[in-house]
Amino acid sequence: MTISEPITFGGDGFDRAASLRDDSKALAALAARPGAQALPLWRGRMLLDGDGVVSLARTDAVFGSAGAMAEAVLLGRDPAGEGIWACALPDWPGAPEEMSPSEDLAHPDIAVGRFAELRGRLGGLSPRDAELAAMARALLNWHAAHRFCARCGAPSEMAQAGWRRDCPSCGAQHFPRTDPVVIMLVTQGDHLLLGRAPAWPETMFSVLAGYVEPGETAEAAVRREVVEEVGVTVGEVGYVASQPWPFPASLMLGFHARVAGRERPEPRPDPAEIAAAHWVSRQRLARIFAGEDAEIRPPLRGSIARHLMWNWLAGRLD
C-alpha cells in the first residue's frame, strides 16, 4: 500500500491569468503566440496520451479544424507564459453514438492522444494535469447547461474569456456555479460507517455525502445528511480537506464526524439514498485497501473518500 493518498484536483498553483479575462487585445495576442495550446474535451472525455498524461494540442490544430475558438475558455498560462484554452469538440463523422466508461477513442484530426473517461484515470494525473482537467471540465459543463439567461430566457453569450455569460437582452451577468457537497467519514471508536448508493455495484461502498442546502453551514449539513441517510446522530464534526469534483461541478468538503457516546448505533438506511450501510473495523479496512475483501472494494484512487479512509486507517486524520 502507498504511504499517502493524495487528493486529485487538489491544485498546483496554476496561473489562471484572471487579469487578462477582460483584456481583448491581450487575449488576442496570447492566442496568436506560437506556443498557445488547447485542451480539447469530447463528450466530457479528456485527451490523454499513452502515459495517461493530459495532452495539449496547438490551438490551430484544434480550433482550426473544429471551429471552436469562439467557444473556447481561457484556463490560464503555463510557467513559460503561454496561454492554455479549453474547448468542447463536437462529434465527428464515424464517432460512435455510445461508449462504455472504459473505452477511449482517437480524433481523426488530432495526432496525439485519445479521449478517455476522466474518473478512471484520477490516480495517475499529476497535480498540474488534474487542475487543468477539473477546471476545463467544470467550466465547459457549465457553459453547455447555461446557454440561456436564467432571468429572461434569452440566449446568453460567453464573456470574460469564458468565465462569465452575459445576456444581451436584459443585461444580466451569470458566473460559473460550484455546488458545495459535504463528504464525511463517520466513526465510532475503531469503526467507520460505509454506505452504498442504490445504483452502485454490490461491492462499491464509500463514506456518506450530500449537498449543502441554502442557508445551511457545512457542519450542519454533515449532521443532517448522516441522520437522513442512515439514521445516525453524530456529535463532533471537524473539517479535513476539500476536492473540486467536476462531475459536473461540485466542491467536496471533507469532514470527520464522530458518533457521540460509547454505543455504536445500528444504521437505518433510507432506501431512496442508501441501499446498504455497514460499520467497518480498522482491521477490515486494512484488508479492503489490500484488495483482500470479497464484499467491499477499495475506493477510487485520487478521490477524497479514499483520502479520508486511508488517513483514518493510518491514524493521521486529526
Side-chain angles (χ1 to χ4, degrees):
M1 293 189 289
T2 57
I3 296 176
S4 63
E5 286 292 338
I7 301 175
T8 301
F9 307 131
D12 191 37
F14 179 70
D15 176 13
R16 299 188 174 210
S19 62
L20 301 182
R21 294 172 187 171
D22 279 323
D23 191 334
S24 58
K25 290 184 179 180
L27 289 172
L30 193 65
R33 291 173 60 92
Q37 295 179 301
L39 178 59
L41 278 77
W42 173 68
R43 296 185 188 174
R45 282 172 158 79
M46 203 68 55
L47 186 66
L48 303 179
D49 67 15
D51 295 323
V53 177
V54 172
S55 293
L56 299 176
R58 286 183 55 87
T59 53
D60 54 3
V62 176
F63 299 142
S65 61
M69 189 64 188
E71 293 293 317
V73 174
L74 176 69
L75 299 181
R77 294 176 293 198
D78 67 14
E82 301 293 352
I84 300 177
W85 280 260
C87 66
L89 299 184
D91 285 351
W92 58 87
E97 293 185 5
E98 296 183 3
M99 292 177 60
S100 71
S102 61
E103 291 181 290
D104 54 38
L105 191 68
H107 191 288
D109 296 327
I110 300 177
V112 179
R114 297 175 69 86
F115 287 100
E117 177 58 45
L118 189 57
R119 288 178 191 254
R121 275 75 172 182
L122 294 184
L125 295 179
S126 69
R128 174 262 196 182
D129 285 348
E131 185 169 2
L132 288 176
M135 200 184 338
R137 201 178 193 280
L139 281 169
L140 294 174
N141 281 338
W142 176 72
H143 281 291
H146 293 80
R147 296 194 176 277
F148 296 90
C149 177
R151 179 185 293 176
C152 73
S156 59
E157 300 173 347
M158 187 180 288
Q160 209 180 39
W163 289 84
R164 193 178 76 210
R165 294 193 72 89
D166 292 348
C167 178
S169 179
C170 71
Q173 295 180 337
H174 305 281
F175 296 87
R177 63 175 293 170
T178 297
D179 301 317
V181 176
V182 289
I183 180 167
M184 43 279 184
L185 185 90
V186 178
T187 65
Q188 196 284 326
D190 280 338
H191 287 73
L192 65 86
L193 187 60
L194 298 181
R196 178 174 64 82
W200 290 359
E202 290 289 331
T203 58
M204 184 176 178
F205 283 78
S206 186
V207 294
L208 305 180
Y211 286 98
V212 180
E213 294 186 345
E216 185 176 47
T217 66
E219 292 82 358
V222 168
R223 295 186 174 94
R224 174 184 54 78
E225 285 287 344
V226 176
V227 169
E228 289 180 357
E229 292 190 346
V230 293
V232 171
T233 300
V234 298
E236 181 183 349
V237 174
Y239 173 77
V240 179
S242 65
Q243 178 182 40
W245 192 248
F247 305 103
S250 297
L251 176 63
M252 310 295 288
L253 304 171
F255 289 87
H256 183 191
R258 294 177 173 86
V259 173
R262 297 183 178 181
E263 297 297 324
R264 192 160 54 248
E266 186 68 23
R268 302 186 307 276
D270 175 358
E273 298 194 48
I274 303 295
H278 306 292
W279 289 104
V280 173
S281 67
R282 286 183 185 270
Q283 292 79 8
R284 185 178 182 186
L285 185 61
R287 294 195 299 272
I288 290 171
F289 272 103
E292 299 172 354
D293 193 297
E295 298 179 352
I296 300 178
R297 69 191 191 194
L300 192 67
R301 287 191 178 275
S303 67
I304 191 171
R306 187 180 181 104
H307 175 86
L308 293 171
M309 293 165 63
W310 173 265
N311 282 283
W312 178 79
L313 175 63
R316 295 196 298 264
L317 195 60
D318 301 314

